[in-house]
Amino acid sequence: MKNSFHHAVPDQHGYFGDYGGSYVPTELQLIIDEITLAYQQIREEPAFLDELSRLYRHFVGRPSPIFHARNLSARYGTDIYLKREDLNHTGAHKINHCLGEALLAKKMGKKKVIAETGAGQHGVALATAAALVGLECDIYMGEVDIAKEHPNVVRMGILGARVIPATHGRKTLKEAVDAAFAAYLADPHTQLYAIGSVVGPHPFPMMVRDFQSIIGNEAREQFQQMTGALPANLVACVGGGSNAMGLFTAFLDDAEVSMHGVEPAGRDLATPGEHAATLSQGEPGIMHGFKSYMLKDEQGEPQEVYSIASGLDYPAVGPQHSYLKDLGRVSYGVIDDRQAIDAFFTLSRLEGIIPAIESAHAVAYALQLAEQGERGSILVNLSGRGDKDIDFVIKHFGAEYGVGSL
Ligand SMILES: *Cc1c(COP(=O)(O)O)cnc(C)c1O
């Protein structure tokens, strides 16, 4: 299936309405302008699009299927379908944009891609793409996360990437961002900073969306073939917002399709620091080089945020989501830790599919829609598989769900 990357937004300065843009120091802006120019050229090049399509098909295993979850559907009285991004090589949607970014870096003559990672999912996907395309790869990771996420650290090493510990402050994701940023500024000519979601300064929100839009392009066609109609509802979890934009983009002009983004309510939506529900609880502001809804503390610094799903705990959100929220085109709701874990077991036991805890937020929301009386079909983006989460889930929730510790 061919990707077409022509969309109404952003404008040429990277704005989605009021949101997006590029708020970075002048010397960095010059480098980012080069990336924008290079991307604008290659997004039109048949050779690039063909190469990306070939890798999606033969390396990632696309198209990912849509699965009609009949057991869930019967239990909840609504037809529920899953877009199976969990079946992609490396187990989630992130490989879709990592391949695009690695190919861009190669075309630009860069030697290396760099990025930060929290739980290691973005790091593993980027290390995979770098190995395939023939680039070096440096992944910055907090020392605390390195200790916690041992299997992903080992994977990156096997794939030939260097994992560089961030040793200051709280030694987690925020410090890893600082370290990666400093390394990038020190040598922006031989490296490309491969951002891991639809966030950061222009062109990254546009570029990552374009690479992820394969999800919705496939899903729109597959769903019509399966059912003869479009889905009545789309549901996707929102951390930075890349898997959600990937699904939504192809349907934005279909007024009959309702869209729902799901943010993490964590332990408590009413307490700052205990959730990461940016669109529900945040306000417009500027952070990490772009304007969007964000969660800030009293000093105007990025708020500490929390979710049981490490892929969802980010204090901002992609600018196109802020735009779609204000337009009212997408509605944004929340699911807390408990509801996500419950959906994790429900999907595992009714359908034989263990989801990533991130994706379980979207599943939980779909079940809630059905319980509230939604009778139109629901297509859920199952952004990733749960292998990475099983040890954590069993340690904390195993007894409650009748699974002995291992
Ligand atoms: C990283 C991740 C997410 C969150 O990222 P988005 O940019 O919001 O899509 C969701 N699901 C999985 C499985 C992830 O690995």
Side-chain angles (χ1 to χ4, degrees):
M1 196 170 313
K2 280 248 153 59
N3 252 344
S4 132
F5 291 159
H6 294 277
H7 304 293
V9 286
D11 69 17
Q12 59 169 343
H13 302 293
Y15 280 91
F16 304 85
D18 272 350
Y19 304 105
S22 180
Y23 298 81
V24 298
T26 316
E27 75 267 29
L28 184 56
Q29 189 58 52
L30 294 174
I31 294 150
I32 288 181
D33 288 345
E34 283 175 22
I35 300 173
T36 306
L37 196 66
Y39 178 60
Q40 259 154 8
Q41 281 166 3
I42 63 158
R43 84 197 292 230
E44 310 283 343
E45 268 177 28
F48 173 79
L49 297 174
D50 286 350
E51 175 68 353
L52 194 57
S53 296
R54 186 183 71 82
L55 294 179
Y56 281 165
R57 186 172 179 81
H58 299 288
F59 186 70
V60 179
R62 307 203 68 92
S64 65
I66 285 181
F67 176 65
H68 184 192
R70 289 207 169 80
N71 301 328
L72 266 192
S73 301
R75 165 91 54 103
Y76 286 84
T78 294
D79 278 314
I80 298 173
Y81 297 81
L82 308 173
K83 177 63 171 163
R84 301 289 310 276
E85 292 299 296
D86 61 312
L87 293 177
N88 292 344
H89 179 45
T90 68
H93 68 290
K94 286 194 172 75
I95 191 70
N96 299 331
H97 67 249
C98 286
L99 284 172
E101 287 176 320
L103 284 180
L104 174 67
K106 191 81 178 173
K107 291 259 178 194
M108 290 182 76
K110 308 284 184 192
K111 291 201 157 44
K112 189 189 277 186
V113 282
I114 70 170
E116 78 286 343
T117 193
Q121 295 303 110
H122 178 52
V124 169
L126 190 63
T128 300
L132 177 75
V133 170
L135 290 163
E136 293 170 36
C137 180
D138 284 354
I139 300 295
Y140 293 82
M141 195 168 178
E143 224 170 27
V144 168
D145 290 333
I146 289 179
K148 249 167 76 181
E149 308 292 345
H150 185 252
N152 276 343
V153 174
V154 171
R155 274 185 199 107
M156 289 184 266
I158 291 172
L159 291 161
R162 274 204 306 170
V163 179
I164 301 169
T167 55
H168 66 290
R170 294 164 60 109
K171 303 175 188 175
T172 61
L173 181 61
K174 184 180 169 301
E175 289 74 23
V177 175
D178 296 343
F181 215 69
Y184 186 52
L185 280 181
D187 179 14
H189 296 290
T190 64
Q191 324 183 80
L192 183 81
Y193 196 150
I195 292 183
S197 187
V198 285
V199 300
H202 179 64
F204 286 96
M206 170 180 81
M207 188 164 81
V208 172
R209 174 203 62 191
D210 291 350
F211 295 145
Q212 289 295 348
S213 64
I214 183 75
I215 300 174
N217 290 345
E218 286 175 3
R220 199 170 182 286
E221 207 171 293
Q222 291 168 317
F223 199 89
Q224 281 179 307
Q225 266 170 20
M226 279 174 91
T227 71
L230 290 175
N233 297 278
L234 304 177
V235 179
C237 65
V238 176
S242 66
N243 86 88
M245 279 319 310
L247 178 64
F248 295 167
T249 296
F251 297 89
L252 285 172
D253 293 333
D254 300 310
E256 69 269 39
V257 179
S258 299
M259 303 188 192
H260 311 267
V262 185
E263 295 191 308
R267 284 187 284 251
D268 180 14
L269 192 61
T271 308
E274 294 292 299
H275 65 81
T278 308
L279 287 161
S280 312
Q281 303 293 311
E283 285 172 14
I286 293 167
M287 183 195 295
H288 300 163
F290 67 105
K291 186 172 176 194
S292 195
Y293 277 79
M294 36 199 64
L295 294 164
K296 291 189 174 184
D297 64 18
E298 255 123 59
Q299 281 75 49
E301 293 297 312
Q303 202 174 81
E304 293 296 334
V305 287
Y306 162 80
S307 164
I308 194 166
S310 50
L312 300 182
D313 63 355
Y314 181 60
V317 67
Q320 194 168 1
H321 285 289
S322 296
Y323 174 65
L324 292 169
K325 172 191 162 78
D326 286 3
L327 283 180
R329 180 65 188 95
V330 179
S331 60
Y332 293 88
V334 298
I335 285 294
D336 67 22
D337 286 0
R338 282 250 133 239
Q339 295 168 306
I341 292 300
D342 219 51
F344 175 94
F345 280 101
T346 301
L347 188 66
S348 299
R349 290 175 179 185
L350 278 182
E351 301 289 355
I353 298 171
I354 303 176
I357 306 180
E358 289 83 359
S359 321
H361 284 70
V363 174
Y365 197 83
L367 302 183
Q368 204 174 71
L369 282 178
E371 277 171 346
Q372 287 163 358
E374 174 60 49
R375 289 295 165 262
S377 58
I378 304 175
L379 175 59
V380 179
N381 201 16
L382 204 70
S383 54
R385 67 174 87 117
D387 305 34
K388 68 188 180 60
D389 297 317
I390 55 174
D391 291 341
F392 175 87
V393 169
I394 289 318
K395 183 162 168 222
H396 293 90
F397 302 96
E400 203 177 316
Y401 288 86
V403 191
S405 62
L406 308 169

PDB file of all heavy atoms in Angstrom, residues 91-94 121 196-198 237-244 311-312 356 358-359 383-385 388, ligand 1:
ATOM      1  N   GLY A  91       7.467  -5.383  18.127  1.00  0.00           N
ATOM      2  CA  GLY A  91       6.348  -5.453  19.058  1.00  0.00           C
ATOM      3  C   GLY A  91       5.510  -4.217  19.280  1.00  0.00           C
ATOM      4  O   GLY A  91       4.686  -4.202  20.201  1.00  0.00           O
ATOM      5  N   ALA A  92       5.677  -3.190  18.471  1.00  0.00           N
ATOM      6  CA  ALA A  92       4.849  -1.990  18.653  1.00  0.00           C
ATOM      7  C   ALA A  92       4.901  -1.133  17.393  1.00  0.00           C
ATOM      8  O   ALA A  92       5.595  -1.464  16.422  1.00  0.00           O
ATOM      9  CB  ALA A  92       5.309  -1.189  19.863  1.00  0.00           C
ATOM     10  N   HIS A  93       4.162  -0.027  17.440  1.00  0.00           N
ATOM     11  CA  HIS A  93       4.103   0.871  16.284  1.00  0.00           C
ATOM     12  C   HIS A  93       5.379   1.676  16.091  1.00  0.00           C
ATOM     13  O   HIS A  93       5.595   2.251  15.035  1.00  0.00           O
ATOM     14  CB  HIS A  93       2.922   1.835  16.451  1.00  0.00           C
ATOM     15  CG  HIS A  93       3.131   2.817  17.573  1.00  0.00           C
ATOM     16  ND1 HIS A  93       3.123   2.454  18.896  1.00  0.00           N
ATOM     17  CD2 HIS A  93       3.406   4.146  17.558  1.00  0.00           C
ATOM     18  CE1 HIS A  93       3.361   3.517  19.650  1.00  0.00           C
ATOM     19  NE2 HIS A  93       3.528   4.560  18.866  1.00  0.00           N
ATOM     20  N   LYS A  94       6.240   1.762  17.108  1.00  0.00           N
ATOM     21  CA  LYS A  94       7.375   2.692  17.042  1.00  0.00           C
ATOM     22  C   LYS A  94       8.310   2.410  15.861  1.00  0.00           C
ATOM     23  O   LYS A  94       8.922   3.324  15.330  1.00  0.00           O
ATOM     24  CB  LYS A  94       8.164   2.676  18.348  1.00  0.00           C
ATOM     25  CG  LYS A  94       7.429   3.395  19.476  1.00  0.00           C
ATOM     26  CD  LYS A  94       8.332   3.674  20.652  1.00  0.00           C
ATOM     27  CE  LYS A  94       7.641   4.552  21.671  1.00  0.00           C
ATOM     28  NZ  LYS A  94       6.618   3.813  22.458  1.00  0.00           N
ATOM     29  N   GLN A 121      11.675   1.240  24.879  1.00  0.00           N
ATOM     30  CA  GLN A 121      10.945   0.810  23.679  1.00  0.00           C
ATOM     31  C   GLN A 121      11.393   1.593  22.440  1.00  0.00           C
ATOM     32  O   GLN A 121      11.636   1.016  21.388  1.00  0.00           O
ATOM     33  CB  GLN A 121       9.434   0.982  23.876  1.00  0.00           C
ATOM     34  CG  GLN A 121       8.855   0.095  24.957  1.00  0.00           C
ATOM     35  CD  GLN A 121       9.122  -1.365  24.697  1.00  0.00           C
ATOM     36  OE1 GLN A 121       9.898  -1.992  25.399  1.00  0.00           O
ATOM     37  NE2 GLN A 121       8.503  -1.915  23.682  1.00  0.00           N
ATOM     38  N   GLY A 196      10.960  10.432  19.292  1.00  0.00           N
ATOM     39  CA  GLY A 196      10.214   9.191  19.426  1.00  0.00           C
ATOM     40  C   GLY A 196       8.704   9.294  19.376  1.00  0.00           C
ATOM     41  O   GLY A 196       8.007   8.301  19.564  1.00  0.00           O
ATOM     42  N   SER A 197       8.160  10.508  19.115  1.00  0.00           N
ATOM     43  CA  SER A 197       6.709  10.626  18.996  1.00  0.00           C
ATOM     44  C   SER A 197       6.393  11.883  18.176  1.00  0.00           C
ATOM     45  O   SER A 197       7.306  12.518  17.640  1.00  0.00           O
ATOM     46  CB  SER A 197       6.071  10.696  20.393  1.00  0.00           C
ATOM     47  OG  SER A 197       4.656  10.643  20.276  1.00  0.00           O
ATOM     48  N   VAL A 198       5.122  12.251  18.110  1.00  0.00           N
ATOM     49  CA  VAL A 198       4.732  13.420  17.296  1.00  0.00           C
ATOM     50  C   VAL A 198       4.907  14.705  18.113  1.00  0.00           C
ATOM     51  O   VAL A 198       4.007  15.528  18.205  1.00  0.00           O
ATOM     52  CB  VAL A 198       3.280  13.301  16.792  1.00  0.00           C
ATOM     53  CG1 VAL A 198       3.179  12.306  15.665  1.00  0.00           C
ATOM     54  CG2 VAL A 198       2.314  12.917  17.929  1.00  0.00           C
ATOM     55  N   CYS A 237      -4.551   5.101  22.606  1.00  0.00           N
ATOM     56  CA  CYS A 237      -3.940   5.744  23.767  1.00  0.00           C
ATOM     57  C   CYS A 237      -3.044   6.888  23.303  1.00  0.00           C
ATOM     58  O   CYS A 237      -2.555   6.889  22.173  1.00  0.00           O
ATOM     59  CB  CYS A 237      -3.153   4.726  24.602  1.00  0.00           C
ATOM     60  SG  CYS A 237      -1.723   3.989  23.776  1.00  0.00           S
ATOM     61  N   VAL A 238      -2.845   7.863  24.204  1.00  0.00           N
ATOM     62  CA  VAL A 238      -2.053   9.045  23.865  1.00  0.00           C
ATOM     63  C   VAL A 238      -0.991   9.285  24.938  1.00  0.00           C
ATOM     64  O   VAL A 238      -1.320   9.600  26.082  1.00  0.00           O
ATOM     65  CB  VAL A 238      -2.940  10.303  23.749  1.00  0.00           C
ATOM     66  CG1 VAL A 238      -2.084  11.541  23.502  1.00  0.00           C
ATOM     67  CG2 VAL A 238      -3.970  10.133  22.636  1.00  0.00           C
ATOM     68  N   GLY A 239       0.281   9.080  24.542  1.00  0.00           N
ATOM     69  CA  GLY A 239       1.397   9.516  25.370  1.00  0.00           C
ATOM     70  C   GLY A 239       1.872  10.823  24.745  1.00  0.00           C
ATOM     71  O   GLY A 239       1.384  11.903  25.052  1.00  0.00           O
ATOM     72  N   GLY A 240       2.816  10.721  23.787  1.00  0.00           N
ATOM     73  CA  GLY A 240       3.108  11.871  22.927  1.00  0.00           C
ATOM     74  C   GLY A 240       2.058  11.988  21.842  1.00  0.00           C
ATOM     75  O   GLY A 240       1.782  13.055  21.327  1.00  0.00           O
ATOM     76  N   GLY A 241       1.501  10.830  21.452  1.00  0.00           N
ATOM     77  CA  GLY A 241       0.379  10.833  20.528  1.00  0.00           C
ATOM     78  C   GLY A 241       0.644  10.264  19.150  1.00  0.00           C
ATOM     79  O   GLY A 241      -0.154  10.484  18.238  1.00  0.00           O
ATOM     80  N   SER A 242       1.743   9.489  18.966  1.00  0.00           N
ATOM     81  CA  SER A 242       2.068   9.049  17.606  1.00  0.00           C
ATOM     82  C   SER A 242       1.182   7.905  17.107  1.00  0.00           C
ATOM     83  O   SER A 242       0.763   7.911  15.948  1.00  0.00           O
ATOM     84  CB  SER A 242       3.542   8.669  17.491  1.00  0.00           C
ATOM     85  OG  SER A 242       3.865   7.539  18.257  1.00  0.00           O
ATOM     86  N   ASN A 243       0.883   6.927  17.966  1.00  0.00           N
ATOM     87  CA  ASN A 243       0.044   5.830  17.441  1.00  0.00           C
ATOM     88  C   ASN A 243      -1.371   6.341  17.189  1.00  0.00           C
ATOM     89  O   ASN A 243      -2.029   5.922  16.230  1.00  0.00           O
ATOM     90  CB  ASN A 243       0.107   4.591  18.349  1.00  0.00           C
ATOM     91  CG  ASN A 243      -0.876   4.605  19.509  1.00  0.00           C
ATOM     92  OD1 ASN A 243      -2.024   4.165  19.358  1.00  0.00           O
ATOM     93  ND2 ASN A 243      -0.460   5.112  20.664  1.00  0.00           N
ATOM     94  N   ALA A 244      -1.830   7.292  18.009  1.00  0.00           N
ATOM     95  CA  ALA A 244      -3.169   7.860  17.807  1.00  0.00           C
ATOM     96  C   ALA A 244      -3.221   8.664  16.503  1.00  0.00           C
ATOM     97  O   ALA A 244      -4.129   8.470  15.687  1.00  0.00           O
ATOM     98  CB  ALA A 244      -3.558   8.729  19.006  1.00  0.00           C
ATOM     99  N   GLY A 311       5.328   4.276  28.693  1.00  0.00           N
ATOM    100  CA  GLY A 311       5.244   4.943  27.383  1.00  0.00           C
ATOM    101  C   GLY A 311       4.248   6.087  27.350  1.00  0.00           C
ATOM    102  O   GLY A 311       4.178   6.825  26.369  1.00  0.00           O
ATOM    103  N   LEU A 312       3.466   6.246  28.414  1.00  0.00           N
ATOM    104  CA  LEU A 312       2.451   7.306  28.417  1.00  0.00           C
ATOM    105  C   LEU A 312       2.796   8.460  29.350  1.00  0.00           C
ATOM    106  O   LEU A 312       2.083   9.460  29.386  1.00  0.00           O
ATOM    107  CB  LEU A 312       1.078   6.727  28.826  1.00  0.00           C
ATOM    108  CG  LEU A 312       0.501   5.616  27.936  1.00  0.00           C
ATOM    109  CD1 LEU A 312      -0.875   5.193  28.456  1.00  0.00           C
ATOM    110  CD2 LEU A 312       0.405   6.065  26.478  1.00  0.00           C
ATOM    111  N   ALA A 356       0.331  -4.459  25.492  1.00  0.00           N
ATOM    112  CA  ALA A 356       1.149  -3.522  26.265  1.00  0.00           C
ATOM    113  C   ALA A 356       0.220  -2.777  27.228  1.00  0.00           C
ATOM    114  O   ALA A 356      -0.950  -2.550  26.901  1.00  0.00           O
ATOM    115  CB  ALA A 356       1.838  -2.533  25.329  1.00  0.00           C
ATOM    116  N   GLU A 358       0.247   0.272  27.873  1.00  0.00           N
ATOM    117  CA  GLU A 358      -0.175   1.492  27.170  1.00  0.00           C
ATOM    118  C   GLU A 358      -1.451   1.199  26.388  1.00  0.00           C
ATOM    119  O   GLU A 358      -2.467   1.888  26.515  1.00  0.00           O
ATOM    120  CB  GLU A 358       0.931   1.953  26.193  1.00  0.00           C
ATOM    121  CG  GLU A 358       2.179   2.531  26.849  1.00  0.00           C
ATOM    122  CD  GLU A 358       3.164   1.456  27.303  1.00  0.00           C
ATOM    123  OE1 GLU A 358       2.867   0.247  27.134  1.00  0.00           O
ATOM    124  OE2 GLU A 358       4.231   1.833  27.862  1.00  0.00           O
ATOM    125  N   SER A 359      -1.387   0.149  25.554  1.00  0.00           N
ATOM    126  CA  SER A 359      -2.522  -0.205  24.698  1.00  0.00           C
ATOM    127  C   SER A 359      -3.743  -0.616  25.521  1.00  0.00           C
ATOM    128  O   SER A 359      -4.881  -0.416  25.086  1.00  0.00           O
ATOM    129  CB  SER A 359      -2.131  -1.354  23.763  1.00  0.00           C
ATOM    130  OG  SER A 359      -0.804  -1.204  23.285  1.00  0.00           O
ATOM    131  N   SER A 383      -1.534  -0.724  20.136  1.00  0.00           N
ATOM    132  CA  SER A 383      -0.235  -0.148  19.743  1.00  0.00           C
ATOM    133  C   SER A 383       0.950  -1.067  19.995  1.00  0.00           C
ATOM    134  O   SER A 383       1.976  -0.946  19.329  1.00  0.00           O
ATOM    135  CB  SER A 383      -0.019   1.185  20.453  1.00  0.00           C
ATOM    136  OG  SER A 383      -0.158   1.045  21.857  1.00  0.00           O
ATOM    137  N   GLY A 384       0.834  -1.992  20.981  1.00  0.00           N
ATOM    138  CA  GLY A 384       1.991  -2.847  21.242  1.00  0.00           C
ATOM    139  C   GLY A 384       1.627  -4.090  22.033  1.00  0.00           C
ATOM    140  O   GLY A 384       0.542  -4.190  22.606  1.00  0.00           O
ATOM    141  N   ARG A 385       2.567  -5.024  22.075  1.00  0.00           N
ATOM    142  CA  ARG A 385       2.324  -6.268  22.804  1.00  0.00           C
ATOM    143  C   ARG A 385       2.890  -6.176  24.221  1.00  0.00           C
ATOM    144  O   ARG A 385       3.731  -5.342  24.523  1.00  0.00           O
ATOM    145  CB  ARG A 385       2.921  -7.445  22.043  1.00  0.00           C
ATOM    146  CG  ARG A 385       4.412  -7.487  21.947  1.00  0.00           C
ATOM    147  CD  ARG A 385       4.879  -8.802  21.292  1.00  0.00           C
ATOM    148  NE  ARG A 385       4.915  -8.687  19.851  1.00  0.00           N
ATOM    149  CZ  ARG A 385       6.023  -8.800  19.113  1.00  0.00           C
ATOM    150  NH1 ARG A 385       7.186  -9.064  19.685  1.00  0.00           N
ATOM    151  NH2 ARG A 385       5.986  -8.676  17.806  1.00  0.00           N
ATOM    152  N   LYS A 388       6.889  -7.047  27.350  1.00  0.00           N
ATOM    153  CA  LYS A 388       7.739  -6.182  28.170  1.00  0.00           C
ATOM    154  C   LYS A 388       7.148  -5.947  29.562  1.00  0.00           C
ATOM    155  O   LYS A 388       7.856  -5.531  30.464  1.00  0.00           O
ATOM    156  CB  LYS A 388       7.958  -4.842  27.463  1.00  0.00           C
ATOM    157  CG  LYS A 388       6.672  -4.006  27.364  1.00  0.00           C
ATOM    158  CD  LYS A 388       6.827  -2.759  26.508  1.00  0.00           C
ATOM    159  CE  LYS A 388       5.555  -1.939  26.411  1.00  0.00           C
ATOM    160  NZ  LYS A 388       5.019  -1.442  27.672  1.00  0.00           N
TER     161      LYS A 388
HETATM  162  C1  LIG B   1       5.621   4.407  23.270  1.00  0.00           C
HETATM  163  C2  LIG B   1       4.328   3.685  23.258  1.00  0.00           C
HETATM  164  C3  LIG B   1       3.088   4.369  23.307  1.00  0.00           C
HETATM  165  C4  LIG B   1       2.976   5.851  23.486  1.00  0.00           C
HETATM  166  O1  LIG B   1       3.492   6.637  22.458  1.00  0.00           O
HETATM  167  P1  LIG B   1       2.562   7.466  21.449  1.00  0.00           P
HETATM  168  O2  LIG B   1       3.535   8.369  20.783  1.00  0.00           O
HETATM  169  O3  LIG B   1       1.549   8.210  22.273  1.00  0.00           O
HETATM  170  O4  LIG B   1       1.935   6.499  20.546  1.00  0.00           O
HETATM  171  C5  LIG B   1       1.921   3.624  23.217  1.00  0.00           C
HETATM  172  N1  LIG B   1       1.942   2.282  23.112  1.00  0.00           N
HETATM  173  C6  LIG B   1       3.108   1.593  23.064  1.00  0.00           C
HETATM  174  C7  LIG B   1       3.040   0.107  22.935  1.00  0.00           C
HETATM  175  C8  LIG B   1       4.338   2.272  23.132  1.00  0.00           C
HETATM  176  O5  LIG B   1       5.488   1.573  23.087  1.00  0.00           O
END
